[in-house]
């Protein structure tokens, strides 16, 4: 069968042969056994409902063994025969380009070069799934192939509920992931209901089909590192950035360190993903011995090299060793998947990767104790370095939150509302006031033709647009504009593409709209093929996350999720091709609500109307919320937006004199 025929087949009438487990692929760790015997039966019934009764007798023992062996039913037998990657948009059997664009992005998320655990349909973060099983993938792709522009596909946490009648201006797909009743949103609830096959953790851009590989966060990390050095009044040259995590998005850290121009040490315990990052060129060197690491870092600092070094081992050993050797760390952070601390997101010290994975499955309570013990050691070592002048920031992975829950010494001696910890979230001190409050966030596009020449042309178009905007930009945002122009000019030489021909660029609503308009004009003129627009959920308006995206909201509303919900509702009727809303993300299940979108532009007048309406709302919804929280930068930005758009009228907060409050 051809690729197109296999897509149109969906779930096959005849069972495909059993596929052997491939040990060369980076697989998800075994999930802990959490279901009762009755719940195990329910999980099996839930899995079998995708298949005709004539196959149940064959599949039942197979799925039972998967549940026992892996803690989940992935339906490995139904993995497609064809290679999964982002094909040119015309390669997909679809009745509408909108559906084909979504198929392209789904396959990009599951590309072996992109996905963390591709056979388990997990894109990044240890548990960020596109689907829960291969039947869901097959059925979704079939529905998309059959879809017309008078239908909308409804996705319930990876499950394609079906095609429903709608209309041309409606989203083609509406996605929800993990939208639990609030009292059922603890970590073990995810383990249980995911094992039952009734919900999934879509992470942020995994379950919304908008992940573009580590590039997706390289730019944000580069901005963070650059501004981190600016905060401590140091040039990156010859100075040291220490962090951890090379899986999924955290693989962006060493590349960002290179672009910023510093010495980067990034620890990782997983040998497979470390080798992948080395082979992909995301790290320059791999070291497995601490003494050799110390020697290499001293040389790199002394020579003011720009180099990224992966240490294959536990980050706690690095912090402790550098303290003993008196190696000064200028910037410190962590990007292990601590939103998922008990299922492979963070590993105990003094234990091999294999030993830890075995303990995780065989004795989850002891594994949890070992993780929390390691977190206490980790924080203790960091505290020693910060006492020597290291600037440490939480990189939004729940490091400080989980460390505090483990009893580590990370709480502030003088807490205030929103500043509970010794160290700031990077959003509080860097990304929030410098980017999000002004409306700058991670705008993305994918060249649907798959042609690298199209990507080069879009880079040039975006650069021209930004340079023109910068000439008239107010002083308050010229640094952001300059950083982004520098970034896009170096995008090609930094070899950032993994998977689809994609690019990310921090831009405000003016920049996003003008860049998208310029793309649409180029498409209409036949200079480039169709373009898929999107963004990271980690943005101005997409995510309500009290310890990350909205951590610089100090009016008490950082624990509310109105912004993310309104964002998705507003995007859906302003022209998005697909929208998504998720429980859980980079900081954990139950800790965040985040929304995203995708939009294909094809050179038409209709596309121009949609992009103007949707992109303006998508950004200014968030600025208005940040303005109402009394953030000065956001007040400036929303007033500027109202001057540009007479139909925008936003309530501006009145400031209260501090002296009056002090008199209480």
């Amino acid at each position: 069968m051809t690729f197109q025929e296999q897509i149109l087949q969906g779930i096959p009438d005849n069972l495909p042969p059993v596929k052997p487990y491939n040990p060369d692929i980076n697989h998800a760790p075994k999930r802990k056994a959490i279901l009762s015997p009755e719940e195990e039966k329910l999980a099996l019934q839930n899995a079998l409902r995708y298949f005709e009764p004539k196959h149940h007798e064959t599949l039942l023992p197979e799925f039972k063994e998967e549940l026992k062996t892996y803690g989940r039913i992935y339906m490995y037998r139904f993995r497609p025969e064809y290679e999964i990657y982002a094909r040119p948009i015309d390669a997909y059997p679809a009745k509408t380009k909108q559906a084909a664009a979504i198929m392209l992005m789904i396959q990009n998320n599951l590309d072996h070069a992109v996905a963390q655990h591709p056979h388990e349909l997990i894109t990044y973060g240890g548990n960020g799934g596109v689907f829960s099983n291969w039947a869901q993938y097959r059925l979704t792709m079939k529905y998309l192939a059959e879809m017309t522009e008078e239908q909308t596909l409804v996705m319930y946490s990876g499950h394609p509920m079906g095609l429903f009648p709608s209309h041309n201006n409606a989203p083609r797909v509406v996605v929800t992931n993990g939208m639990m009743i609030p009292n059922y949103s603890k970590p073990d609830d995810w383990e249980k209901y995911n094992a039952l096959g009734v919900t999934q953790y879509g992470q942020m851009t995994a379950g919304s089909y908008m992940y573009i590989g580590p590039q997706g966060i390289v730019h944000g990390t580069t901005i963070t590192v650059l501004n981190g050095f600016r905060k401590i009044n140091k040039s990156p040259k010859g100075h040291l950035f220490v962090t951890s995590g090379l899986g999924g998005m955290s693989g962006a850290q060493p590349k960002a360190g290179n672009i910023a121009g510093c010495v980067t040490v990034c620890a990782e315990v997983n040998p497979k993903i470390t080798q992948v990052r080395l082979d992909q060129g995301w790290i320059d060197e791999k070291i497995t011995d601490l003494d050799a690491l110390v020697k290499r870092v001293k040389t790199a600092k002394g020579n003011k090299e720009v180099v990224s070094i992966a240490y294959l081992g536990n980050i706690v050993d690095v912090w402790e060793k550098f303290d003993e050797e008196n190696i000064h760390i200028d910037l410190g952070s962590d990007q292990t998947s601590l939103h998922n601390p008990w299922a492979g997101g963070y590993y105990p010290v003094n234990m091999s990767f294999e030993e830890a994975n075995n303990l995780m499955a065989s004795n989850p309570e002891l594994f949890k104790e070992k993780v929390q013990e390691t977190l206490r050691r980790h924080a203790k070592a960091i505290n020693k370095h910060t006492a020597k002048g290291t600037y440490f920031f939480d990189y939004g992975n729940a490091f400080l939150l989980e460390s505090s829950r483990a009893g580590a010494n990370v709480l502030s001696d003088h807490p205030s509302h929103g500043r509970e910890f010794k160290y700031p979230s990077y959003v509080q001190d860097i990304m929030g006031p410098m980017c999000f409050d002004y409306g700058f966030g991670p705008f993305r596009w994918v060249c649907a033709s798959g042609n690298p020449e199209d990507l080069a042309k879009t880079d040039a178009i975006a650069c021209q647009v930004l340079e023109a905007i910068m000439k008239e930009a107010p002083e308050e945002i010229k640094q952001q504009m300059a950083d982004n122009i520098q970034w896009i000019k170096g995008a090609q030489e930094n070899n950032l593409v993994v998977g689809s021909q994609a690019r990310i660029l921090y831009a405000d609503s003016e920049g996003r709209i003008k860049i998208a308009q310029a793309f649409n004009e180029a498409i209409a003129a036949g200079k480039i093929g169709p373009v898929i627009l999107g963004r990271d959920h980690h943005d101005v308006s997409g995510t309500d996350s009290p310890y990350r995206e909205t951590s610089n909201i100090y009016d008490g509303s950082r624990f509310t999720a109105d912004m993310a919900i309104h964002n998705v509702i507003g995007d859906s009727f302003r022209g998005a091709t697909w929208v998504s809303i998720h429980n859980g993300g980079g900081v954990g299940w139950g800790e965040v609500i985040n929304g995203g979108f995708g939009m294909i532009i094809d050179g038409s007048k209709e596309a121009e109307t949609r992009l103007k309406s949707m992109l303006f709302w998508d950004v200014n919804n968030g600025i208005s919320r940040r303005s109402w929280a009394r953030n000065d930068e956001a007040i400036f930005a929303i007033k500027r937006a109202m001057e540009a758009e007479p139909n925008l009228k936003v309530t501006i907060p009145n400031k209260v004199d501090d002296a009056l409050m002090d008199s209480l």
Side-chain angles (χ1 to χ4, degrees):
M1 295 176 71
T2 65
F3 166 71
Q4 289 82 2
E5 288 170 341
Q6 288 186 70
I7 292 289
L8 290 166
Q9 180 190 42
I11 297 173
D13 292 331
N14 297 316
L15 293 180
V18 174
K19 292 183 174 60
Y21 185 87
N22 185 348
D24 296 329
I25 297 294
N26 192 37
H27 288 283
K30 179 182 178 182
R31 309 302 184 185
K32 66 181 179 181
I34 197 169
L35 301 181
S36 68
E38 284 303 309
E39 288 168 338
E40 288 179 359
K41 290 181 181 178
L42 183 57
L44 291 164
Q45 286 180 302
N46 289 344
L48 290 170
R49 61 184 159 178
Y50 285 101
F51 308 97
E52 293 182 15
K54 64 182 180 180
H55 298 311
H56 289 183
E57 189 173 351
T58 301
L59 292 176
L60 178 59
E62 185 177 316
F63 289 171
K64 182 180 179 182
E65 184 62 26
E66 283 190 15
L67 186 61
K68 177 184 175 183
T69 305
Y70 309 114
R72 296 292 186 272
I73 301 170
Y74 296 115
M75 308 180 186
Y76 288 123
R77 176 198 289 263
F78 293 93
R79 276 196 298 108
E81 297 293 336
Y82 55 77
E83 186 180 353
I84 296 181
Y85 64 96
R87 292 164 168 79
I89 192 167
D90 291 334
Y92 293 94
K95 296 177 180 178
T96 164
K97 282 285 192 290
Q98 294 183 57
I102 300 166
M103 297 165 84
L104 183 159
M105 295 305 296
I106 286 172
Q107 290 208 315
N108 188 63
N109 272 21
L110 294 172
D111 184 335
H112 284 204
V114 174
Q116 184 182 16
H117 306 306
H119 285 189
E120 289 75 39
L121 303 114
I122 290 170
T123 302
Y124 65 87
N127 57 3
V130 186
F131 303 99
S132 292
N133 59 60
W134 286 102
Q136 292 177 347
Y137 166 83
R138 283 179 173 266
L139 192 53
T140 298
M141 295 295 279
K142 177 179 170 64
Y143 277 140
L144 288 168
E146 296 172 344
M147 171 190 290
T148 72
E149 291 187 0
E150 301 297 320
Q151 292 173 303
T152 293
L153 175 60
V154 177
M155 298 294 300
Y156 274 48
S157 285
H159 169 65
M161 189 61 72
L163 292 169
F164 289 78
S166 60
H167 55 83
N168 180 266
N169 290 322
R172 296 282 67 81
V173 178
V174 176
V175 179
T176 57
N177 279 298
M179 300 308 293
M180 305 297 292
I181 303 300
N183 280 348
Y184 300 88
S185 203
K186 298 181 293 297
D188 271 358
D189 291 324
W190 174 75
E191 295 282 358
K192 176 179 177 178
Y193 294 106
N194 187 235
L196 285 173
V198 295
T199 194
Q200 74 171 13
Y201 191 90
Q203 249 288 352
M204 301 185 86
T205 49
S208 63
Y209 325 140
M210 192 43 72
Y211 188 59
I212 59 170
Q215 179 191 176
I217 198 173
V218 170
H219 187 25
T221 306
T222 302
I223 290 175
T224 301
V225 173
L226 283 172
N227 284 308
F229 279 113
R230 286 169 184 154
K231 281 193 72 68
I232 60 176
N233 297 313
K234 286 184 178 179
S235 164
K237 199 81 170 175
H239 292 109
L240 178 60
F241 171 44
V242 171
T243 184
S244 56
L246 285 172
M249 288 196 300
S250 54
Q253 297 178 104
K255 177 68 81 171
N258 278 8
I259 296 170
C262 61
V263 178
T264 304
V265 171
C266 187
E268 170 60 54
V269 296
N270 185 335
K272 283 185 181 177
I273 197 63
T274 305
Q275 189 61 42
V276 165
R277 294 298 180 231
L278 185 64
D279 294 341
Q280 290 176 336
W282 290 82
I283 53 176
D284 298 322
E285 302 173 16
K286 178 177 73 173
I287 293 177
T288 59
D289 178 75
L290 278 173
D291 290 325
L293 179 66
V294 167
K295 184 178 179 181
R296 181 69 185 93
V297 168
K298 286 181 178 178
T299 300
K301 290 186 72 175
N303 294 337
K304 295 190 175 181
E305 296 179 46
V306 177
V307 63
S308 56
I309 304 162
Y311 172 68
L312 181 55
N314 200 290
I315 183 59
V316 177
D317 291 326
V318 176
W319 281 99
E320 292 177 343
K321 183 70 171 179
F322 283 12
D323 176 50
E324 293 168 12
E325 299 289 338
N326 208 27
I327 292 179
H328 181 68
I329 299 171
D330 299 282
L331 291 186
S333 192
D334 182 83
Q335 209 179 355
T336 52
S337 297
L338 269 161
H339 69 276
N340 180 33
W342 324 127
Y346 185 90
Y347 281 79
V349 73
N350 298 335
M351 191 176 293
S352 74
F353 184 60
E354 293 76 15
E355 288 170 341
N357 279 329
N358 289 335
L359 183 64
M360 188 192 311
S362 65
N363 193 339
E365 286 305 312
L366 181 57
F367 180 81
K368 181 176 180 178
E369 288 178 22
K370 294 292 185 184
V371 164
Q372 292 192 318
E373 178 185 314
T374 300
L375 282 168
R376 291 192 290 271
R377 274 182 63 177
H378 195 163
K380 183 178 180 180
I382 288 167
N383 290 341
K384 288 182 178 181
H385 282 275
T386 58
K388 300 176 185 179
T390 297
Y391 176 71
F392 183 87
F393 56 89
D394 185 298
Y395 202 21
N397 65 330
F399 172 74
L400 291 176
L401 185 62
E402 287 301 335
S403 294
S404 68
R405 289 169 175 169
N409 181 15
V410 294
L411 294 175
S412 172
D413 294 330
H414 305 286
S416 61
H417 198 71
R419 290 275 184 169
E420 300 93 335
F421 300 113
K422 282 180 182 289
Y423 308 113
S425 155
Y426 74 115
V427 173
Q428 288 178 310
D429 279 9
I430 298 173
M431 298 302 286
M434 295 180 183
C435 291
F436 292 167
D437 284 353
Y438 284 117
F440 284 83
F443 181 52
R444 296 177 174 180
W445 65 88
V446 176
C447 296
S449 66
N451 188 345
E453 292 181 6
D454 278 7
L455 184 60
K457 290 174 183 177
T458 58
D459 284 345
I461 291 169
C463 189
Q464 290 167 6
V465 169
L466 292 180
E467 287 177 332
I469 293 174
M470 188 174 175
K471 290 177 182 177
E472 305 297 326
E475 199 63 37
E476 287 87 345
I477 61 172
K478 282 197 171 176
Q479 181 68 67
Q480 291 89 329
M481 299 295 297
D483 283 349
N484 282 290
I485 291 168
Q486 178 184 345
W487 162 266
I488 202 69
K489 284 182 174 178
Q492 294 281 328
E493 65 190 52
N494 285 311
N495 299 316
L496 297 165
V497 170
V498 176
S500 60
Q501 294 297 315
R503 186 67 73 224
I504 185 170
L505 176 74
Y506 267 55
D508 61 4
S509 64
E510 180 186 11
R512 299 182 204 205
I513 290 169
K514 288 183 176 178
I515 290 170
Q517 282 181 295
F519 290 168
N520 205 48
E521 290 167 6
I523 297 165
K527 296 177 181 178
I528 59 174
V531 173
I532 301 164
L533 306 178
R535 58 161 169 74
D536 195 347
H537 296 204
H538 171 66
D539 197 6
V540 180
S541 160
T543 296
D544 281 298
S545 178
Y547 296 105
R548 195 163 78 177
E549 283 79 2
T550 43
S551 61
N552 72 317
I553 300 292
Y554 302 114
D555 68 348
S557 69
R558 66 190 177 120
F559 294 97
T560 66
D562 300 86
M563 181 178 72
I565 300 297
H566 273 292
N567 177 264
V568 169
I569 294 171
D571 284 355
S572 68
F573 65 77
R574 286 180 172 88
T577 306
W578 73 96
V579 293
S580 63
I581 188 77
H582 303 175
N583 166 25
V587 296
W589 179 264
E591 303 284 357
V592 51
I593 299 293
N594 64 87
F597 78 88
M599 172 187 280
I600 185 168
I601 56 174
D602 58 6
S604 65
K605 288 291 184 184
E606 292 80 6
E608 182 174 2
T609 300
R610 290 182 181 191
L611 72 87
K612 283 181 179 178
S613 175
M614 203 219 72
L615 293 176
F616 186 85
W617 157 259
D618 191 69
V619 175
N620 283 291
N621 168 48
I623 297 176
S624 64
R625 185 269 178 95
R626 294 167 187 278
S627 165
W628 188 239
R630 295 184 290 270
N631 291 10
D632 290 333
E633 296 84 358
I635 293 171
F636 166 86
I638 203 65
K639 286 181 176 178
R640 185 166 171 256
M642 284 191 284
E643 290 173 5
E645 173 50 77
N647 284 333
L648 178 67
K649 298 182 185 299
V650 170
T651 308
I652 301 296
N654 293 295
K655 297 289 189 77
V656 180
D657 189 283
D658 288 341
L660 180 62
M661 298 308 298
D662 291 341
S663 69
L664 291 177

